[in-house]
Amino acid sequence: DDLFGIGKGADISWKGLLDMASCTECGRCQSQCPAWHTEKPLSPKLLIMAMRDHALTKAQSDKPLVGEVISPDVLWSCTTCGACVNECPVDIEHIDHIVNMRRFQVLVESEFPTELGGTFRNLEKAGNPWGANRMDRNAWIAECDFPIQVIHGALPDDVEYLFWVGCAGAFEERGKKTTKAVAELLHMAGVKFGVLGARETCTGDPARRAGNEFLYQILSRENIETFKEVYSNYKGVKKVVVTCPHCFTTIGRDYRQQGFELKMVHHSQLLNQLIKEGRLKASPHKAGTQVTFHDPCYLGRHNQIYMPPRELLESTGAQLVEMPRNQDRSFCCGAGGGRMWQEEKLGTQINLTRVDEAIATGAEQIAVGCPFCRVMISDGVAGRQSEKEVLDVAQVLLNAIKA
């Protein structure tokens, strides 16, 4: 495209104009928006209406959309959770329009939240949003007391799964616990897997959702070249297991736009399958422990994966207690769309709202299936000075097996 996102009314595509003209102003999108529910200025409904009014009256105008029609606070409040798109009766793609406006702000205007500047630099220099040393991607392996195969060249045919660890899984302390739990469970089940270690770089999800399409293209192409090298002579189905729904979506869906396709499997799906096959067996030692599960937006609404993590939890003998907002109407943790690396200065905190719902269930544990959700929910529990334990579904299963 010659166009870097949407800067003015004339930049809006025919699909965008169709979306805006189709809006019935029913407000269902607004009723589910986590930003709107936490007193932020973003209303998906009002955003689409404002863009429509601008496009229909000043289609050729050079009047900028952001700053004149849409305030920056509105634009950067979005977590790209997909609640608005999921709820819309006429299939308006609110997120696409928001991300397109972000692209223009980042690539043309260089106007974006200051915290994202550091995130973008870390992605450019270190290949991860934390700026950690790329060579430390293997550090978690030393903490495991069982062998883990690091793939240096092409993937051997006897390796069934490539385990994509991801940035959070390699560098963030809570994410590393999930990574080690998944690796141990796969080892217990006799699943042959390998990891790429330092050959991994960020999938580009934070860059793309925050509007830095140029940086996303660089990161994605680097990973696609690595994947091509890894699978150059592989005869089986190219299966990749991930713990991060953001990696799951970006590699599985976004990379497909660039003509590269892999079979993506979320760790909750694979572990649930191994339980059903009898290769993993949980001991109902703590049967009856009440657990509530927080649906990650990028696993649930974006990929329609709801039952595997729940079935996995129930297989441990735990009693699942649902929050009022669950599955396709789950409430966001607040980390998506690049929000993980920005301070939440407007309204109340999304993660605290979600944690309040979890605490109200009375469950002893809060289970998650995403490293971003793990950070946000854990921080929210600490913020509420609660004793609730926050664990990834893989940790819940491992604890039940070892009990």
Side-chain angles (χ1 to χ4, degrees):
D1 288 341
D2 294 331
L3 225 59
F4 292 108
I6 298 173
K8 53 186 186 296
D11 299 338
I12 300 172
S13 68
W14 68 267
K15 171 60 169 71
L17 293 171
L18 180 63
D19 271 3
M20 291 156 203
S22 302
C23 180
T24 63
E25 302 180 23
C26 67
R28 290 189 200 177
C29 54
Q30 179 179 291
S31 73
Q32 298 300 316
C33 178
W36 182 258
H37 274 281
T38 52
E39 297 85 49
K40 304 196 176 36
L42 169 61
S43 157
K45 168 189 165 182
L46 297 177
L47 178 129
I48 292 295
M49 288 168 62
M51 290 183 74
R52 176 192 66 195
D53 294 345
H54 177 69
L56 295 180
T57 55
K58 298 184 174 70
Q60 302 306 315
S61 169
D62 286 334
K63 182 180 177 182
L65 268 168
V66 180
E68 296 279 346
V69 181
I70 308 294
S71 82
D73 283 344
V74 165
L75 187 68
W76 295 102
S77 289
C78 179
T79 65
T80 67
C81 73
C84 51
V85 180
N86 185 70
E87 204 65 28
C88 182
V90 291
D91 296 329
I92 292 171
E93 302 277 356
H94 310 73
I95 295 172
D96 289 358
H97 306 309
I98 288 170
V99 170
N100 269 326
M101 286 189 283
R102 287 181 176 181
R103 278 181 191 144
F104 186 84
Q105 293 305 110
V106 171
L107 299 175
V108 179
E109 298 293 321
S110 291
E111 289 286 342
F112 49 85
T114 51
E115 300 105 319
L116 285 177
T119 307
F120 293 155
R121 282 191 294 276
N122 288 338
L123 289 169
E124 285 171 15
K125 293 177 181 176
N128 67 83
W130 285 278
N133 188 326
R134 181 181 288 219
M135 301 317 293
D136 290 338
R137 278 190 183 268
N138 278 346
W140 65 273
I141 295 176
E143 299 167 25
C144 299
D145 56 4
F146 50 90
I148 289 174
Q149 187 172 356
V150 181
I151 310 298
H152 296 290
L155 194 70
D157 281 335
D158 66 336
V159 175
E160 188 181 357
Y161 286 93
L162 181 66
F163 181 12
W164 181 270
V165 175
C167 302
F171 299 118
E172 205 279 322
E173 285 307 314
R174 288 161 285 194
K176 280 165 70 175
K177 289 177 182 176
T178 302
T179 301
K180 289 183 283 186
V182 171
E184 188 169 352
L185 287 163
L186 295 181
H187 176 70
M188 282 178 176
V191 175
K192 200 89 160 79
F193 71 96
V195 299
L196 293 178
R199 293 169 76 189
E200 277 191 18
T201 193
C202 178
T203 60
D205 166 83
R208 180 167 244 202
R209 314 303 168 204
N212 197 335
E213 183 68 15
F214 181 70
L215 181 53
Y216 161 74
Q217 293 291 340
I218 292 170
L219 294 167
S220 63
R221 281 172 189 168
E222 184 178 336
N223 281 323
I224 288 170
E225 287 308 310
T226 302
F227 281 131
K228 284 179 177 175
E229 184 185 336
V230 168
Y231 285 109
S232 56
N233 301 309
Y234 195 71
K235 301 294 188 293
V237 178
K238 300 168 184 174
K239 292 186 282 191
V240 179
V241 60
V242 295
T243 61
C244 177
H246 296 263
C247 296
F248 182 98
T249 304
T250 306
I251 297 172
R253 187 179 301 163
D254 294 9
Y255 287 11
R256 201 182 303 148
Q257 296 171 353
Q258 287 157 265
F260 188 79
E261 200 158 345
L262 294 167
K263 181 175 173 57
M264 301 301 294
V265 182
H266 187 253
H267 71 290
S268 65
Q269 293 177 298
L270 178 55
L271 296 176
N272 189 45
Q273 177 190 322
L274 294 171
I275 292 165
K276 288 181 175 178
E277 291 172 358
R279 294 166 72 181
L280 288 173
K281 190 162 178 61
S283 162
H285 176 67
K286 286 189 175 180
T289 300
Q290 290 195 325
V291 180
T292 189
F293 178 66
H294 164 76
D295 286 277
C297 301
Y298 272 76
L299 184 66
R301 274 189 295 268
H302 284 273
N303 287 289
Q304 308 299 306
I305 298 169
Y306 300 112
M307 295 319 296
R310 287 174 166 79
E311 290 172 0
L312 184 157
L313 290 170
E314 287 172 344
S315 75
T316 68
Q319 182 187 340
L320 190 62
V321 186
E322 294 283 11
M323 287 180 257
R325 292 189 273 204
N326 63 76
Q327 298 194 41
D328 64 332
R329 287 197 168 181
S330 177
F331 197 72
C332 183
C333 76
R339 293 289 327 168
M340 176 85 164
W341 294 276
Q342 299 172 59
E343 289 296 324
E344 202 169 347
K345 296 168 185 168
L346 302 171
T348 53
Q349 288 181 251
I350 292 172
N351 65 330
L352 291 180
T353 302
R354 187 54 167 168
V355 163
D356 288 342
E357 289 186 359
I359 292 171
T361 64
E364 298 157 60
Q365 294 178 336
I366 305 170
V368 296
C370 168
F372 287 8
C373 296
R374 176 76 185 273
V375 169
M376 300 301 281
I377 300 295
S378 298
D379 289 353
V381 166
R384 289 294 190 235
Q385 298 181 327
S386 170
E387 297 298 315
K388 302 290 183 191
E389 191 176 19
V390 183
L391 295 169
D392 187 89
V393 290
Q395 290 176 284
V396 176
L397 177 60
L398 185 61
N399 290 346
I401 290 173
K402 287 183 164 182

